[in-house]
Amino acid sequence: MSINFQENSENSNDNKPSFTDVKMENVYNIRNKNFKLETMKITKVISPEYLQKRKIGLKAQGFENGDYSYLNALIQCLGGVPDILLYLQQNINYINNPKKLPLTFSFFQIIERLYHNSKNSPVYNSTKFLEIVEHCFPFLKEEKNPIDLYHLLFHDMHDEMNQKKKQSNNQINYDKTNMNEVINNELDIFNNNNKSIFSELFTLFYKKEIKCNSCNGIFYELQNFISLDLDVISVYKKYNQINLTIIDCLNEFMKPINTKRVCHICNKTSQMMVKRSIFSASNILVFIFNRFNKQEEQEMENIQFNYEEHLDLTNYIENNRQELNINYVLIGVVSFLYSQNKFAAYCKNFLSNKWMCFVDENVFECNYNQIIAKGTPYLLFYKKFE
């Protein structure tokens, strides 16, 4: 059911919408600015014509502390995910509610604006969305990291839209030495407590086989994540290999590691050998390349990372009972351009099949080889196809 904000404003004594969400009400009054009521809705369902012509740049204007390319680059990549656009088209009335879904509404509003191509307005001002983001996540004013923003946006928007969040999550005891029991129970717990477009698109599951060095017992764990984090720096240092690929990092990810923790069998804190595998992959698979300090940031600049445009993960996904080929195609890259000291988004238009580069308000066509040659990646977005 769509909300008529103009009617709400006319019935209000102070000419403001009556927000039921404290977060959005606070955002409404940020910097003593009022949102224009006529813009507080998503106005159009995106048409194929607009999808073909996507060339809108993003720019946050009027901020003293400079560069917000990290936010613009991430939003451009998320805006290029076909499933998110399809969800917007099919659920526009439900999303069109800033009272109920303050962060999610503002996210989908800016996604919609990216496709309203106009010769008179080739740049969309993302200041309003930035105000909401910095109000919800204040530390981003200093950090300005697209990886942190990705995690925060995902979790908060999922919480807003989660249709099962009010259900009780009773602790279930099960035999952790029985792999099938662990998998079935963990999947049931997840499915009974999580339902949103974001969990459905981005969730993948790791399986861990853990062997205790004290009792030689083996137990299992299944954990859900919204990205697959690749430790490029460790692979680079271990093999002194400058040219790396995702497959190189995945092969290293699959190798057993040693750690110290409590054993679920003998209840002792012991050395453990952990074998990790990808149990099931998401529809949109996000690879993240973490940097934890300045030295690692500088080392990433020296690595030539060749991320494949087409990725065959058939041999890396364990839950493949039908023995199908599991293939992914690259649709988005958030990369840091050292020459400009800015983040860029590279997005593949799934209708025109062309790559576009977005650096703030600047938009231009490019190709895959240019993407690989420029900058270092922070996030990669792959879409599964059959």
Side-chain angles (χ1 to χ4, degrees):
M1 180 177 178
S2 60
I3 304 295
N4 189 323
F5 294 103
Q6 193 61 44
E7 287 182 0
N8 287 345
S9 68
E10 289 173 355
N11 294 331
S12 172
N13 293 330
D14 58 0
N15 202 35
K16 293 182 182 179
S18 55
F19 291 105
T20 57
D21 188 288
V22 175
K23 184 189 293 183
M24 192 63 182
E25 186 173 11
N26 290 338
V27 169
Y28 180 85
N29 294 309
I30 286 175
R31 300 169 68 195
N32 296 319
K33 288 184 177 180
N34 290 335
F35 291 138
K36 293 181 180 179
L37 293 177
E38 65 270 17
T39 66
M40 291 191 64
K41 54 188 172 183
I42 300 171
T43 56
K44 296 181 181 178
V45 176
I46 301 165
S47 68
E49 178 187 1
Y50 284 118
L51 292 176
Q52 287 272 15
K53 298 178 180 179
R54 180 191 171 195
K55 292 182 180 178
I56 298 292
L58 283 171
K59 183 69 173 178
Q61 299 172 345
F63 280 76
E64 296 178 2
N65 296 324
D67 180 30
Y68 288 92
S69 60
Y70 81 99
L71 178 139
N72 292 335
L74 179 64
I75 295 303
Q76 290 284 10
C77 278
L78 290 173
V81 174
D83 310 73
I84 291 179
L85 294 171
L86 181 63
Y87 186 82
L88 171 59
Q89 294 220 21
Q90 295 176 344
N91 297 274
I92 190 167
N93 289 335
Y94 171 66
I95 296 166
N96 220 344
N97 192 341
K99 299 181 185 180
K100 183 180 179 182
L101 308 169
L103 185 63
T104 309
F105 165 82
S106 62
F107 168 78
F108 275 104
Q109 186 186 47
I110 200 170
I111 295 301
E112 180 231 15
R113 295 296 191 271
L114 293 179
Y115 290 87
H116 288 176
N117 194 21
S118 169
K119 293 180 180 179
N120 298 323
S121 57
V123 179
Y124 181 69
N125 189 349
S126 59
T127 301
K128 215 170 285 184
F129 182 71
L130 178 58
E131 289 176 338
I132 294 174
V133 168
E134 289 197 342
H135 176 79
C136 298
F137 320 119
F139 77 94
L140 284 174
K141 294 179 182 179
E142 302 297 331
E143 295 295 328
K144 302 187 185 304
N145 189 318
I147 296 174
D148 292 336
L149 179 60
Y150 168 71
H151 284 287
L152 292 166
L153 277 179
F154 174 93
H155 286 297
D156 271 48
M157 291 192 297
H158 168 69
D159 285 346
E160 285 186 350
M161 301 191 74
N162 186 5
Q163 298 174 17
K164 298 186 175 184
K165 60 186 174 184
K166 293 183 179 179
Q167 294 190 10
S168 60
N169 185 15
N170 297 324
Q171 191 68 30
I172 301 175
N173 294 320
Y174 50 85
D175 182 6
K176 292 195 173 184
T177 64
N178 185 318
M179 183 183 69
N180 290 329
E181 191 171 333
V182 169
I183 291 171
N184 290 335
N185 278 281
E186 289 295 336
L187 288 177
D188 284 345
I189 291 171
F190 179 83
N191 291 328
N192 288 333
N193 290 278
N194 295 275
K195 183 172 177 57
S196 75
I197 178 62
F198 304 107
S199 63
E200 291 173 3
L201 284 182
F202 293 93
T203 302
L204 67 150
F205 289 86
Y206 291 177
K207 191 193 83 176
K208 293 182 180 180
E209 179 185 296
I210 306 166
K211 182 177 181 180
C212 174
N213 289 355
S214 295
C215 67
N216 288 322
I218 297 176
F219 60 97
Y220 300 89
E221 291 179 351
L222 190 72
Q223 297 175 312
N224 62 84
F225 296 89
I226 59 169
S227 64
L228 209 166
D229 295 11
L230 298 182
D231 194 349
V232 181
I233 298 294
S234 293
V235 179
Y236 164 68
K237 290 180 177 178
K238 185 175 181 178
Y239 298 101
N240 195 24
Q241 185 176 338
I242 295 177
N243 294 300
L244 293 173
T245 66
I246 288 177
I247 297 301
D248 292 330
C249 295
L250 282 176
N251 289 336
E252 191 66 20
F253 175 84
M254 296 294 185
K255 292 181 179 179
I257 60 173
N258 293 309
T259 187
K260 195 172 185 178
R261 54 176 293 180
V262 176
C263 175
H264 284 287
I265 300 172
C266 66
N267 292 320
K268 295 179 181 178
T269 300
S270 310
Q271 287 291 330
M272 308 279 177
M273 185 180 72
V274 181
K275 293 181 180 179
R276 298 176 295 178
S277 62
I278 305 172
F279 177 73
S280 64
S282 46
N283 187 16
I284 304 299
L285 183 55
V286 180
F287 290 100
I288 284 181
F289 307 96
N290 285 310
R291 289 94 155 146
F292 298 104
N293 54 53
K294 280 289 183 184
Q295 181 181 352
E296 290 185 346
E297 182 67 53
Q298 292 169 355
E299 287 175 318
M300 281 295 293
E301 186 178 0
N302 298 325
I303 298 172
Q304 179 61 48
F305 197 85
N306 298 306
Y307 34 96
E308 296 87 336
E309 192 168 12
H310 295 89
L311 195 60
D312 184 356
L313 294 184
T314 307
N315 296 328
Y316 294 88
I317 310 298
E318 187 172 323
N319 188 25
N320 187 16
R321 294 170 185 168
Q322 295 179 329
E323 298 184 351
L324 300 173
N325 290 332
I326 303 177
N327 296 298
Y328 285 83
V329 60
L330 184 67
I331 59 171
V333 180
V334 175
S335 185
F336 188 73
L337 305 178
Y338 288 97
S339 60
Q340 300 183 41
N341 198 33
K342 281 186 175 292
F343 286 96
Y346 298 97
C347 305
K348 189 171 188 178
N349 189 307
F350 57 96
L351 286 183
S352 68
N353 209 33
K354 294 179 180 179
W355 281 99
M356 301 296 295
C357 177
F358 302 85
V359 186
D360 288 336
E361 70 271 35
N362 301 307
V363 184
F364 53 88
E365 192 173 320
C366 61
N367 59 50
Y368 173 69
N369 291 330
Q370 290 173 319
I371 298 170
I372 292 291
K374 294 182 178 180
T376 62
Y378 271 64
L379 300 98
L380 306 179
F381 293 83
Y382 281 86
K383 178 172 173 56
K384 186 190 293 184
F385 71 94
E386 297 178 358

